[in-house]
């Protein structure tokens, strides 16, 4: 895989909430980039021979005791550097300039005016809208630097030493609110660092196939297929590489949405021709969930039984050396953030807690990819949009959307109502573009209604649709009233046992996306 990764950009993280965004913007430009902890060590940071470095922002002031420092090798690096916000202040401080608390902090939109021509801001408007978020600012430039742009509160909103190829931006080019931000990053990577735009789904697949074959040789691989995007794409990729040496196990726990279990079998067994073992564990899961109403108790019971069921299948198969997982890059970054430094990146075990007697080596072909890249790879491998654009779905499935006790009858009710909702959103063109996640929740509440001439006393359903980029925060989707009216009428008419429909208008925070 090394060729494709060589000559990209190393993004050095100082704790900014936007660091992943920088990497995503660069990858969108076709340039491979990775996040490294600031104290990750020069060898690690340079392992793919980056063509340049970007220093992220961060919450500290450079003068805070114990604030993250500039890795010293950067002072003599013969490659271009771009510091963003805290990264710029670190660079300034280390190279002999001066940083101080600004009299007026700048948070939010600002306009900067270019003062000097430079390769970093070439081709852009003289005035740019940008997003600021800083308390400190540059008071005196280091020797060799000139100011390239200013804002009302920052005389040095962009700085550069063109000879040294070191640049700094007081604002965040990586966020949406800096509309020309990608153009600035494009200048940095192509005009200053001379990167090639070679990172795309086809190139990734080409290299990944070789990498998987070299790792697996003639051994066998096992994959737990959930039907979710990541395991589906990992499965399709590994299957393309090694064909029947891959065996997939799909545990049907009865907690999937309407038609999903059938879809997994159809797509992966029939269309993709994969070696797929389907385990019908519905009864076992139902009896494990009997009487449980507390959300964490449900999650634990499901997790435990899943591992037991999967392990039993795995033990039955002899001679399997590798366990494949659909780990993706955000999982890897999160795991790394747990450790004191990124040098000990752990594997993120999706099939967590496998018993000790099952010794597998891990194979994680998507661990360098973001979700949107995984989708591109899936499409390039011939998976349908229905699989690739599937909405996120929690591991414990409908059990945590069926509030109160999970019974088969209630699950079926929820499945029907959810299918009506999703179908209506799809028809209205709101499933992929208007909402990030949409689903129905069956509440442990009954309400009185009237149907025909009769009183009804049935269950209540909540509909939930959210918009979000990262699922860390979310807002409730402003769906058209007409659509909600139609969905509500259909559900109450078509699903026996539900007589009232509500729409959840809670954002996250303070709510969560799921109800349990
Ligand atoms: P919350 O409810 O925490 O959800 O705001 C954020 C995102 O995570 C999904 N989610 C889960 N995914 N196992 C999963 O694999 C889980 O236990 C789980 N709980 C929540 C949720 O659907 C949303 O996309």
């Amino acid at each position: 895989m090394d060729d494709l990764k060589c000559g990209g950009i190393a993004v050095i993280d100082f704790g900014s909430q936007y660091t992943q965004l920088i990497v995503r913007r660069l990858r969108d430009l076709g340039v491979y980039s990775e996040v490294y902890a600031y104290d990750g060590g020069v060898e690690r940071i340079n392992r793919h021979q980056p063509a340049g470095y970007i220093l992220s922002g961060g919450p500290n002031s450079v003068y805070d005791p114990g604030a993250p420092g500039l890795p010293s090798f950067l002072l003599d690096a013969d490659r271009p550097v771009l510091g963003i916000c805290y990264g710029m202040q670190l660079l300034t401080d280390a190279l002999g300039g001066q940083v101080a608390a600004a009299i007026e902090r700048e948070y939010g939109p600002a306009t900067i005016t270019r003062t000097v021509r430079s390769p970093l801001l070439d081709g852009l408007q003289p005035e740019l809208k940008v997003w600021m978020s800083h308390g400190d600012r540059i008071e005196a430039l280091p020797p060799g630097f000139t100011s390239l742009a200013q804002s009302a509160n920052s005389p040095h909103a962009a700085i550069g030493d063109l000879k040294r190829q070191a640049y700094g931006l007081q604002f965040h080019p990586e966020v949406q609110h800096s509309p020309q931000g990608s153009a600035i990053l494009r200048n940095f990577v192509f005009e200053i660092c001379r990167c090639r735009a070679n990172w795309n789904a086809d190139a990734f697949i080409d290299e990944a196939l070789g990498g998987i074959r070299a790792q697996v040789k003639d051994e066998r691989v096992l994959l737990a297929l959930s039907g979710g995007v990541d395991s589906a794409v990992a499965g399709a990729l590994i299957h393309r590489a090694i064909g029947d040496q891959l065996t997939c196990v799909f545990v049907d726990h009865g907690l999937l949405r309407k038609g999903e279990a059938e879809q997994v079998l159809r797509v992966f067994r029939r269309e993709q021709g994969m070696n797929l073992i389907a385990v019908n564990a519905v009864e076992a899961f139902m009896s494990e969930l009997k009487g449980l109403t507390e959300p964490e108790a449900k999650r634990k019971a499901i997790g435990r039984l899943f591992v037991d069921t999967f392990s039993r299948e795995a033990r039955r198969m002899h001679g399997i050396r590798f366990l494949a997982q659909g780990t993706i890059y955000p999982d890897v970054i999160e795991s790394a953030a747990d450790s004191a430094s990124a040098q000990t990146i752990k594997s993120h075990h999706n099939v967590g807690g496998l018993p000790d007697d099952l010794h597998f080596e891990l194979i994680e072909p998507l661990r360098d990819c973001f979700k949107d890249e995984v989708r591109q790879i899936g499409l390039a491998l011939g998976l349908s949009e229905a699989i690739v654009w599937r909405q996120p779905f929690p591991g414990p499935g409908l059990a945590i959307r069926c509030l109160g006790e999970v019974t088969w009858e209630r699950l079926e009710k929820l499945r029907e109502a959810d299918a009506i909702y999703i179908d209506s959103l799809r028809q209205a063109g709101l499933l992929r573009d208007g909402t990030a996640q949409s689903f129905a929740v069956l509440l442990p509440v009954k309400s009185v209604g009237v149907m025909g001439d009769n009183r009804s006393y049935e269950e209540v359903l909540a509909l939930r649709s959210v918009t979000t980029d990262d699922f860390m925060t979310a807002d409730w989707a402003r769906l058209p009233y007409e659509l909600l009216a139609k969905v509500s009428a259909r559900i109450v008419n078509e699903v026996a046992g539900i007589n009232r429909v509500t729409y959840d208008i809670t954002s996250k925070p303070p709510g969560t996306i799921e109800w349990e």
Side-chain angles (χ1 to χ4, degrees):
M1 174 96 26
D2 253 354
D3 275 350
L4 205 50
K5 290 184 177 173
C6 277
I9 299 290
V11 175
I12 302 177
D13 182 32
F14 296 93
S16 166
Q17 56 180 325
Y18 301 131
T19 305
Q20 281 195 43
L21 260 185
I22 304 174
V23 175
R24 292 183 59 169
R25 294 280 173 266
L26 299 177
R27 301 243 193 128
D28 285 346
L29 294 169
V31 173
Y32 184 75
S33 90
E34 260 188 49
V35 178
Y36 297 94
Y38 73 94
D39 58 354
V42 53
E43 270 161 35
R44 186 171 178 82
I45 294 173
N46 279 340
R47 68 182 170 160
H48 298 308
Q49 299 154 39
Y53 306 96
I54 292 185
L55 317 179
S56 82
N60 294 85
S61 163
V62 291
Y63 298 126
D64 285 345
L70 190 75
S72 55
F73 77 91
L74 283 174
L75 292 175
D76 314 310
D78 54 356
R79 280 164 269 187
V81 185
L82 170 65
I84 295 174
C85 201
Y86 181 75
M88 171 205 205
Q89 293 155 10
L90 269 181
L91 210 53
T92 301
D93 182 51
L95 293 173
Q98 207 185 343
V99 179
I103 299 165
E104 299 217 24
R105 293 164 162 240
E106 265 186 308
Y107 290 104
T111 302
I112 61 160
T113 311
R114 266 186 355 191
T115 44
V116 173
R117 280 205 62 171
S118 69
L120 188 64
L121 303 177
D122 233 13
L124 302 173
Q125 305 288 327
E127 291 207 332
L128 302 176
K129 297 242 170 296
V130 298
W131 187 258
M132 294 278 190
S133 173
H134 66 107
D136 287 355
R137 66 176 205 177
I138 310 295
E139 288 297 324
L141 293 174
F145 276 75
T146 42
S147 184
L148 308 177
Q150 60 188 37
S151 73
N153 290 319
S154 300
H156 309 301
I159 62 171
D161 176 341
L162 276 55
K163 207 157 134 230
R164 190 181 189 123
Q165 295 197 299
Y167 294 88
L169 298 173
Q170 186 58 81
F171 56 90
H172 290 272
E174 67 274 25
V175 305
Q176 270 175 357
H177 301 290
S178 295
Q180 297 291 305
S182 272
I184 298 173
L185 293 174
R186 181 183 294 124
N187 278 346
F188 181 67
V189 297
F190 296 126
E191 303 307 323
I192 297 171
C193 299
R194 302 273 162 204
C195 294
R196 283 180 304 144
N198 60 352
W199 178 254
N200 59 56
D202 288 331
F204 172 87
I205 292 170
D206 265 1
E207 284 213 353
L209 293 179
I212 294 166
R213 288 180 192 127
Q215 186 182 359
V216 174
K217 300 195 177 74
D218 56 358
E219 304 281 348
R220 291 174 63 204
V221 178
L222 180 64
L223 168 78
L225 200 63
S226 66
V229 183
D230 303 338
S231 67
V233 175
L237 185 60
I238 297 171
H239 184 247
R240 166 93 48 108
I242 58 167
D244 279 349
Q245 285 165 259
L246 171 71
T247 302
C248 298
V249 171
F250 167 61
V251 176
D252 183 0
H253 47 28
L255 302 168
L256 292 180
R257 288 165 289 193
K258 189 175 175 184
E260 262 180 339
E262 297 77 9
Q263 187 191 37
V264 169
L265 297 186
R266 190 183 67 243
V267 169
F268 295 101
R269 192 179 274 166
R270 270 192 256 143
E271 293 173 17
Q272 296 276 321
M274 287 188 199
N275 201 348
L276 172 59
I277 296 170
V279 185
N280 184 338
V282 175
E283 275 186 28
F285 275 83
M286 284 302 114
S287 85
E288 193 81 7
L289 285 166
K290 204 168 167 39
L292 297 185
T293 55
E294 206 276 316
E296 280 312 298
K298 288 184 192 174
R299 276 173 196 274
K300 283 200 185 112
I302 293 166
R304 202 169 45 232
L305 190 54
F306 183 87
V307 167
D308 286 354
T309 313
F310 183 77
S311 309
R312 194 170 334 115
E313 285 310 311
R315 267 194 209 98
R316 235 181 253 174
M317 290 177 250
H318 297 288
I320 296 217
R321 175 154 170 203
F322 293 97
L323 178 70
Q325 294 197 151
T327 312
I328 66 172
Y329 194 44
D331 304 332
V332 176
I333 300 179
E334 274 162 32
S335 308
D338 293 342
S339 62
S341 91
Q343 287 176 24
T344 52
I345 286 188
K346 295 178 285 182
S347 282
H348 187 95
H349 281 258
N350 291 329
V351 185
L354 281 185
D356 290 343
D357 67 310
L358 284 173
H359 301 291
F360 291 121
E361 287 171 46
L362 282 186
I363 174 164
E364 300 175 307
L366 301 174
R367 60 180 286 128
D368 294 319
C369 303
F370 285 105
K371 193 79 162 192
D372 46 341
E373 294 172 327
V374 171
R375 292 201 167 105
Q376 296 304 326
I377 294 162
L379 290 174
L381 286 167
L383 291 177
S384 67
E385 299 231 340
I387 294 282
V388 162
W389 281 100
R390 174 169 277 209
Q391 295 200 346
F393 188 62
L398 294 184
I400 58 164
R401 294 179 181 171
C402 189
L403 276 48
E405 187 175 2
V406 181
T407 64
W408 189 252
E409 187 208 344
R410 295 187 76 222
L411 278 175
E412 288 286 83
K413 224 186 268 187
L414 176 57
R415 255 191 277 274
E416 284 305 317
D418 186 75
I420 291 172
Y421 185 39
I422 297 299
D423 192 43
S424 307
L425 286 169
R426 184 180 295 115
Q427 283 181 29
L430 288 168
L431 196 58
R432 214 177 103 174
D433 293 328
T435 62
Q437 197 170 4
S438 297
F439 52 90
V441 182
L442 190 63
L443 307 187
V445 174
K446 283 187 158 191
S447 84
V448 172
V450 52
M451 285 186 115
D453 291 330
N454 297 319
R455 173 186 186 271
S456 67
Y457 185 54
E458 309 280 14
E459 292 194 287
V460 181
L461 186 91
L463 304 175
R464 176 96 164 127
S465 279
V466 294
T467 55
T468 174
D469 281 334
D470 56 10
F471 296 87
M472 307 290 286
T473 61
D475 198 5
W476 57 278
R478 281 18 175 207
L479 294 182
Y481 283 172
E482 283 312 310
L483 175 100
L484 289 170
K486 231 163 66 188
V487 172
S488 160
R490 271 195 68 192
I491 290 175
V492 173
N493 283 317
E494 294 175 32
V495 186
I498 294 176
N499 71 349
R500 191 177 295 268
V501 176
T502 66
Y503 186 59
D504 182 352
I505 52 167
T506 320
S507 61
K508 171 185 177 176
T512 49
I513 295 176
E514 302 288 346
W515 279 46
E516 286 197 335

